[in-house]
Amino acid sequence: MIKYLKPLKVSSPKIRLGAKLDGGYVAPQIAFEKCNTLMAYGYGGDKTYEDDFVKKFNKNVYLFDHTVSDNEWTENLVSFYPEGLGPDNRDEAEKMYHMSQLTDNIETLNKQLSILKEKTDTKSLKSSINSLEYFKSQLHSLSEVISLKGVREHYNDLNLEGEVFLKIDTEGAEYDYFYNTDIKDLSTFVTGMTIEFHNLDQPIYQTKLGIILEKFKDYFILTHLHGNNWGGEITLGSYSIPRVLELSFVNKKYADGAEIDTTSYPIPDLDYPNNPDIPDCNMEFLNQI
């Protein structure tokens, strides 16, 4: 994984979008200039990045997050959808399975609801509640299947045209998405990406990130990275690295003059601590790769 984290410098200058704390990210300007649209995954009530994109480039933003209670809305070129990031073209059979578990057992569901209504003995009530918990889990699974879509699916559903820039901060869902998606297809309509990779203290995510970056290397170039200091730092072999990494990529076709970046990170006036009350993450490991 570590060997893929050495950034390259391209001819396009870098710019920062968003606040000078958590929620702000740095990427090459050309990736924003070449895109028609920003597709952003992860909202949580903060859209300073998206508002900054609109202010600087006057282009549409499509914002997705299925974990908040908002309904669909549009405001100043930013449109929100209560949907999340998942593998492209999720298996229709998966949806039908969860639906069948609900519909095929409707009589059982009605019976358990009747038991609760009748206020019978404690043992019966506990049994009924356990049964209803099963139905709740099936509803949750069905909701996940319906509300999660891949970038290509969202792109097609919205009838978008031209290329897009991706901003992804999905608290872990980024791994399954990129691990399973077709990166070659993604490169046909994505100018660049900023992705926050979480939980790198866990070996499974270290392995997945390594595989994902290996998939990226034929189509996208890593141009910037920053550590989210809310996550602290971890020891990985002889290296000390951030537990949460913010990585920015540009499509190879826009990576003119790419060369090894010898800049010292974090970069003053571009990078800022996500938590302003503590020092930024140390990125000295980049000089050791």
Side-chain angles (χ1 to χ4, degrees):
M1 180 193 82
I2 293 289
K3 66 180 181 180
Y4 295 112
L5 293 177
K6 190 71 172 179
L8 296 182
K9 185 177 181 179
V10 298
S11 59
S12 174
K14 296 177 182 180
I15 63 170
R16 182 184 182 90
L17 297 181
K20 294 180 179 179
L21 39 82
D22 207 7
Y25 301 97
V26 176
Q29 183 170 317
I30 192 169
F32 300 113
E33 292 175 343
K34 294 294 184 180
C35 76
N36 287 358
T37 306
L38 169 66
M39 295 177 70
Y41 291 85
Y43 169 45
D46 177 14
K47 63 181 182 71
T48 54
Y49 181 98
E50 292 73 20
D51 287 339
D52 217 6
F53 175 84
V54 169
K55 181 179 178 180
K56 285 182 169 64
F57 300 102
N58 195 37
K59 299 175 182 179
N60 289 316
V61 174
Y62 295 93
L63 177 58
F64 306 91
D65 195 327
H66 69 304
T67 67
V68 297
S69 59
D70 289 23
N71 295 318
E72 290 185 18
W73 52 258
T74 297
E75 177 185 296
N76 190 29
L77 297 183
V78 180
S79 297
F80 172 82
Y81 297 88
E83 299 176 351
L85 182 67
D88 286 295
N89 301 314
R90 290 177 69 102
D91 190 354
E92 184 70 13
E94 185 180 358
K95 180 173 73 173
M96 297 308 297
Y97 168 77
H98 293 301
M99 290 187 67
S100 69
Q101 294 303 297
L102 295 168
T103 57
D104 292 352
N105 295 281
I106 194 67
E107 290 186 9
T108 302
L109 175 61
N110 288 332
K111 179 180 178 181
Q112 302 308 324
L113 290 172
S114 295
I115 291 173
L116 289 176
K117 184 178 180 181
E118 293 168 3
K119 299 179 182 179
T120 55
D121 61 275
T122 301
K123 184 177 179 180
S124 296
L125 286 172
K126 285 184 177 180
S127 175
S128 177
I129 290 170
N130 289 337
S131 180
L132 291 171
E133 284 293 330
Y134 169 77
F135 285 98
K136 179 181 177 181
S137 70
Q138 293 299 327
L139 280 170
H140 177 75
S141 297
L142 180 59
S143 174
E144 288 285 288
V145 172
I146 292 172
S147 65
L148 298 183
K149 295 181 180 179
V151 173
R152 170 60 83 176
E153 287 182 273
H154 279 132
Y155 182 93
N156 291 342
D157 287 351
L158 294 167
N159 296 312
L160 299 183
E161 297 180 351
E163 295 179 294
V164 304
F165 186 90
L166 298 181
K167 191 264 288 189
I168 296 175
D169 179 8
T170 51
E171 306 301 323
E174 63 277 2
Y175 291 102
D176 283 342
Y177 172 69
F178 285 110
Y179 189 83
N180 291 291
T181 203
D182 182 346
I183 305 301
K184 182 178 181 179
D185 175 64
L186 207 65
S187 71
T188 64
F189 68 101
V190 173
T191 64
M193 307 178 287
T194 290
I195 311 161
E196 190 160 311
F197 287 98
H198 301 79
N199 307 318
L200 287 172
D201 55 321
Q202 300 180 36
I204 183 62
Y205 293 121
Q206 297 167 15
T207 299
K208 283 191 173 185
L209 180 55
I211 293 171
I212 290 167
L213 295 179
E214 169 69 23
K215 292 175 65 176
F216 281 2
K217 70 181 180 62
D218 290 333
Y219 308 102
F220 295 94
I221 287 177
L222 176 65
T223 60
H224 193 85
L225 69 170
H226 178 252
N228 186 329
N229 66 344
W230 283 105
E233 298 175 22
I234 62 169
T235 300
L236 196 58
S238 60
Y239 305 103
S240 177
I241 71 168
R243 178 177 171 272
V244 178
L245 279 172
E246 303 164 355
L247 305 183
S248 292
F249 304 84
V250 65
N251 195 305
K252 275 193 169 183
K253 63 186 175 184
Y254 299 127
D256 292 342
E259 58 184 22
I260 295 296
D261 188 355
T262 58
T263 305
S264 179
Y265 284 76
I267 301 176
D269 299 323
L270 276 180
D271 292 315
Y272 296 88
N274 298 62
N275 178 355
D277 297 325
I278 59 176
D280 213 345
C281 286
N282 186 339
M283 305 297 282
E284 181 62 29
F285 78 94
L286 292 175
N287 298 323
Q288 303 168 10
I289 300 176

